[in-house]
């Protein structure tokens, strides 16, 4: 059966926000001004809901819902707005994964809008010819043309609207275009992300001109406009994505990648890349089946490869299903969560890559038999030495302990953004989109107002024939993005997702188990301190997590180290969004109260407190 089909060719043709648990955070610059900088982490009500990391983007999506647009229309409109206000996390220069629950049919669909490797990309692309060794990952490899994959985001938007939306691309892009022209208020997060990227951005005159006006990051409270991006959106509105995957804009992207225009003062090597006009012209967003795992009373739908999100979250849940998580104390629960995650990450490393190039044993990875084989290696009393070895998918017989040689483990960096939308008809969108690192490749396409991704750094740096994530022309690098929709008895009850590189998987897993097994209300489940065990010697954890659970988990043998990211200097994991859907139609939209400066949840008709 063909689980994937391409759609681009077809597509080319064609305030009263206050709710129960709220805190208001804002620079207070608005007044009579239309700019929206009030952040509300939780909103409860009816008729539709949206959660993103940004109030302007959530407002754009909410307005679409209020005007009768569906969840897909609102998701695309909000994503385009995030391209304006969160340009270091996502935009038309990147890719992502779109999961959609269709209320009319009860089916879950997905779009793989992942970037692809250019046809001319050699297997040793990440090796510095001067030294014969890999380029240092950050900032050298990340800040390059060689890391730029063929963007998938415009094709994703067009495909989603074409398949399930009611808006044209033109209509969906309009609010974001207006937002780019009138500008948004710079907050501390935007300022700090710019400052952390200042060296990289200064390496490219086009980037410095846009994001370092006068040589400095934009001041907190000032208004940031992006007229070039507005013009790019206008171009897409007028001509569709053909104007992105061909024509002068495509030529500009190719030129930026193949011959990066750098400032003479930069010390960064900025190796040129391979993106060519043919790569852009041939790009296809893929419609494909979701992954599904039955977990206790629920069916958990996620993203199939090229993302490892659905298979890894699903496998870890299947392992955890064999234990009584609700009956455990906090430390025992977290120990099981960390160990199940390590086991699933071992299998992710060994088996998951782009299925167009690699034979991924997805059915086995998501089977209860395989989970049982893995679960029997989980010692309820002690942490296993890491890395744990992958399971043997060829011995899928529920026998304990059959493993194969270990694969490399990885610890990707953090960026990306995520949004959740539910409309009044019960359609649900969970969408994670990214340009990889915060600030992507650092390269703005001159005069076009957007950053190009560095997604290809998600490939393994050093080529090995047995590595499912090795570089190959045309291939999608393995992702961790995990947009997830949970159904019970065929009805959606929860949708969630997060940024955070490979910690996306653990954030989604931890939030799910916090809520489904430990009974935390969804806002609490999402806000709770996080830890990520990605089959590495130590567990990456937020300081609050270490403080709360460090001693108890140490007794199990876990070593916890604080999280951190050089491009955001934030000791935090993820920036999730979620919407919970009750039988009676009550929607609870939640975003981060604090991480990444806090998010913005909104509902169409707020419930009376
Ligand atoms: N490139 C990452 C992935 O696809 C996402 C980037 C991030 O969240 O840091 O898994």
């Amino acid at each position: 059966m063909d689980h994937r089909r391409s759609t681009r060719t077809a597509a080319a043709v064609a305030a009263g926000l206050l709710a129960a648990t709220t805190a208001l955070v804002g620079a207070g610059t608005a007044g009579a001004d239309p700019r929206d900088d009030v952040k509300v982490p939780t909103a409860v009500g009816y008729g539709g809901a949206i959660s993103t990391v940004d109030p302007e983007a959530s407002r754009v999506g909410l307005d679409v819902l209020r005007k009768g647009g569906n969840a897909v229309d609102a998701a695309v409109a909000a994503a385009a707005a995030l391209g304006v206000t969160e340009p270091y996390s996502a935009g038309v220069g990147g890719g992502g994964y779109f999961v959609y629950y269709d209320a009319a049919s009860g089916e879950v669909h997905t779009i793989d809008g992942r970037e692809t490797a250019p046809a001319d990309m050699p297997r040793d692309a990440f090796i510095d010819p001067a030294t014969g060794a890999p380029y240092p990952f950050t900032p050298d490899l990340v800040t390059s043309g060689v890391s730029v994959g063929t963007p998938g985001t415009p094709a994703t938007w067009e495909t989603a609207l074409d398949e399930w939306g009611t808006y044209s691309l033109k209509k969906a892009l309009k609010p974001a275009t207006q937002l780019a022209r009138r500008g948004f208020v710079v907050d501390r997060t935007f300022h700090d992300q710019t400052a952390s990227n200042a060296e990289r951005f200064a390496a490219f005159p086009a980037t410095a001109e846009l994001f370092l006006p006068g040589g400095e990051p934009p001041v907190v409270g000032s208004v940031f406009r992006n007229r070039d991006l507005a013009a790019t959106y206008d171009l897409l509105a007028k001509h569709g994505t053909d104007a992105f995957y061909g024509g002068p804009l495509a030529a500009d992207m190719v030129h930026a990648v193949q011959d990066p225009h750098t400032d003479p003062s930069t010390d960064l090597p900025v190796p040129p890349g391979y993106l060519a006009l043919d790569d852009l012209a041939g790009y296809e967003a893929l419609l494909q089946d979701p992954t599904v795992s039955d977990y206790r009373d629920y069916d958990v739908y996620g993203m199939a490869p090229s993302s490892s999100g659905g298979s890894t979250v699903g496998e870890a849940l299947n392992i955890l299903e064999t234990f009584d998580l609700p009956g455990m104390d906090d430390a025992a629960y977290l120990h099981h969560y960390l160990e199940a995650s390590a086991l699933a990450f071992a299998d992710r490393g060994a088996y998951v890559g782009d299925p167009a190039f690699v034979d991924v044993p997805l059915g086995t990875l998501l089977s209860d038999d395989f989970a049982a084989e893995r679960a029997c290696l989980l010692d309820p009393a002690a942490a296993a030495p890491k890395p744990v070895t992958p399971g043997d998918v060829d011995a899928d017989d529920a026998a304990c302990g059959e493993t194969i040689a270990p694969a490399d483990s990885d610890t990707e960096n953090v960026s990306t953004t995520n949004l959740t939308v539910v409309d009044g008809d019960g359609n649900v969108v969970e969408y994670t989109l990214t340009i990889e690192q915060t600030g992507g490749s650092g390269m703005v396409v001159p005069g076009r107002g957007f950053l190009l991704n560095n997604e290809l750094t998600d490939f393994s740096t050093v080529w090995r024939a047995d590595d499912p994530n090795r570089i190959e022309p045309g291939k999608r690098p393995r992702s961790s993005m995990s947009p997830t929709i949970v159904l019970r008895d065929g009805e959606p009850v929860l949708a969630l997702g997060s940024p955070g590189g490979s910690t996306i998987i653990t954030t989604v897993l931890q939030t799910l188990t916090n809520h489904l097994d430990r009974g935390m209300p969804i806002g609490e489940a999402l806000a709770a301190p996080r830890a990520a065990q990605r089959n590495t010697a130590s567990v990456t954890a937020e300081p609050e997590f270490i403080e709360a659970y460090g001693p108890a988990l140490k007794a199990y043998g876990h070593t916890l180290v604080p999280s951190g990211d050089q491009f955001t200097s934030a000791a935090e994991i993820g920036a999730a969004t979620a919407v919970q859907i009750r039988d009676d139609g009550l929607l609870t939209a939640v975003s981060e109260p604090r991480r990444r400066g806090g998010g913005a949840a909104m509902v169409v008709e707020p419930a009376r407190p």
Side-chain angles (χ1 to χ4, degrees):
M1 187 175 28
D2 183 9
H3 293 278
R4 319 177 103 202
R5 72 188 165 92
S6 126
T7 58
R8 200 175 85 74
T9 321
V13 180
L17 305 170
L18 207 48
T21 54
T22 60
L24 299 178
V25 188
T29 41
D33 195 297
R35 294 185 184 93
D36 209 329
D37 60 358
V38 177
K39 296 179 172 180
V40 180
T42 300
V44 182
Y46 299 93
I50 181 161
S51 182
T52 82
V53 297
D54 176 69
E56 297 272 17
S58 293
R59 167 68 55 193
V60 162
L62 189 77
D63 286 347
V64 170
L65 293 175
R66 286 201 165 131
K67 286 178 184 152
N70 72 11
V72 174
D73 305 328
V76 172
L82 288 167
V84 178
T85 58
E86 296 277 307
Y88 308 146
S89 298
V92 288
Y97 296 92
F98 193 102
V99 180
Y100 170 60
Y101 169 81
D102 182 69
S105 64
E107 287 175 1
V108 179
H109 305 274
T110 78
I111 301 172
D112 177 332
R114 184 68 160 172
E115 299 90 335
T116 54
D120 290 339
M121 186 176 189
R123 63 175 66 171
D124 63 353
F126 296 157
I127 308 298
D128 183 351
T131 62
Y135 290 103
F137 189 78
T138 51
D140 296 20
L141 183 56
V142 165
T143 314
S144 72
V146 81
S147 67
V148 179
T150 318
T153 291
T156 305
W157 295 350
E158 194 163 63
T159 300
L161 291 172
D162 217 46
E163 293 284 323
W164 315 299
T166 69
Y167 275 31
S168 63
L169 185 62
K170 180 178 179 179
K171 194 169 171 186
L173 291 178
K174 194 169 169 194
T177 312
Q178 288 168 340
L179 176 59
R181 288 215 164 86
R182 80 150 154 81
F184 63 92
V185 179
V186 171
D187 66 4
R188 170 63 50 193
T189 304
F190 186 84
H191 171 275
D192 291 356
Q193 289 180 340
T194 315
S196 321
N197 274 289
E199 184 201 353
R200 289 175 353 107
F201 288 178
F204 304 100
T207 310
E209 191 187 330
L210 181 60
F211 293 126
L212 297 170
E216 297 292 328
V219 175
V220 175
S222 64
V223 171
F224 185 88
R225 297 185 177 82
N226 191 340
R227 295 190 180 87
D228 288 347
L229 181 60
T232 296
Y233 282 172
D234 278 341
L235 194 67
L236 292 178
K238 203 161 169 204
H239 302 291
T241 61
D242 283 353
F244 184 91
Y245 292 102
L249 172 51
D252 286 355
M253 285 190 274
V254 166
H255 186 72
V257 170
Q258 293 193 2
D259 188 13
H261 179 43
T262 54
D263 190 284
S265 69
T266 186
D267 292 332
L268 293 169
V270 193
Y274 302 92
L275 183 72
L277 288 175
D278 282 352
D279 298 311
L280 287 158
Y283 183 82
E284 294 175 339
L286 302 173
L287 283 168
Q288 63 179 26
D289 292 346
T291 58
V292 57
S293 343
D294 61 325
Y295 183 64
R296 307 195 199 278
D297 293 339
Y298 305 93
D299 292 306
V300 179
Y301 286 83
M303 205 57 228
S306 59
S307 182
S308 60
S311 67
T312 313
V313 170
E315 181 188 339
L317 287 175
N318 288 340
I319 293 170
L320 289 171
E321 197 175 15
T322 65
F323 298 97
D324 177 24
L325 296 191
M328 294 176 185
D329 65 26
D330 283 348
Y333 152 60
L334 291 166
H335 164 69
H336 282 75
Y337 151 68
L338 295 172
E339 292 296 280
S341 176
L343 290 162
F345 264 85
D347 298 326
R348 166 188 181 273
Y351 297 116
V352 183
D354 181 347
F357 292 79
V358 178
D359 194 8
V360 182
L362 192 58
T364 303
L365 291 175
L366 286 169
S367 73
D368 286 337
D369 278 354
F370 186 67
E373 210 176 301
R374 303 297 280 150
C376 75
L377 297 169
L378 197 164
D379 182 342
K386 309 291 182 309
V388 297
T389 48
D392 184 352
V393 289
D394 294 325
D396 181 17
D397 52 8
C400 192
E402 287 172 282
T403 60
I404 62 167
D408 296 339
S409 47
D410 70 279
T411 49
E412 292 149 13
N413 250 290
V414 293
S415 167
T416 312
T417 195
N418 185 80
L419 58 98
T420 313
V421 193
V422 178
D423 67 24
D425 291 329
N427 301 302
V428 183
V429 172
E430 190 62 44
Y431 183 25
T432 314
L433 61 163
T434 187
I435 56 172
E436 219 305 271
Q437 295 280 331
T438 304
S441 65
M443 296 196 297
V444 164
V445 184
R448 303 298 189 168
F450 66 91
L451 284 156
L452 289 165
N453 69 83
N454 67 297
E455 214 71 51
L456 301 180
T457 57
D458 276 356
F459 280 124
S460 302
T461 310
V462 176
W463 199 92
R464 244 192 26 229
D466 63 347
D467 175 359
N469 195 33
R470 63 189 177 270
I471 292 171
E472 292 179 82
K475 188 178 183 182
R476 287 158 151 83
R478 177 174 61 216
S479 171
S480 301
M481 288 185 264
S482 311
T484 303
I485 299 180
V486 182
L487 271 56
R488 190 175 49 210
D489 301 328
E491 296 292 332
V493 293
L494 178 67
L496 77 165
S498 179
S502 51
T503 67
I504 293 171
I505 292 167
T506 57
T507 291
V508 168
L509 179 63
Q510 191 182 352
T511 308
L512 279 172
T513 52
N514 280 349
H515 179 62
L516 301 179
D517 295 297
R518 305 292 293 174
M520 291 185 196
I522 188 61
E524 211 179 289
L526 186 140
R530 292 183 185 135
Q533 170 48 281
R534 294 166 288 174
N535 200 21
T536 50
S538 51
V539 175
T540 309
E542 293 178 329
E544 299 79 3
F545 186 97
I546 298 177
E547 199 175 311
Y549 309 110
L553 287 169
K554 197 164 172 233
Y556 282 87
H558 296 283
T559 308
L560 276 58
V561 297
S563 46
D565 174 358
Q566 77 173 103
F567 291 128
T568 61
S569 38
E572 50 190 48
I573 297 176
T577 68
V579 176
Q580 183 192 13
I581 306 149
R582 255 181 23 188
D583 286 356
D584 61 1
L586 187 75
L587 303 169
T588 303
V590 294
S591 65
E592 299 285 357
R594 286 189 303 114
R595 294 183 185 98
R596 233 188 251 183
M602 300 182 182
V603 291
V604 170
E605 289 168 42
R608 304 254 165 261

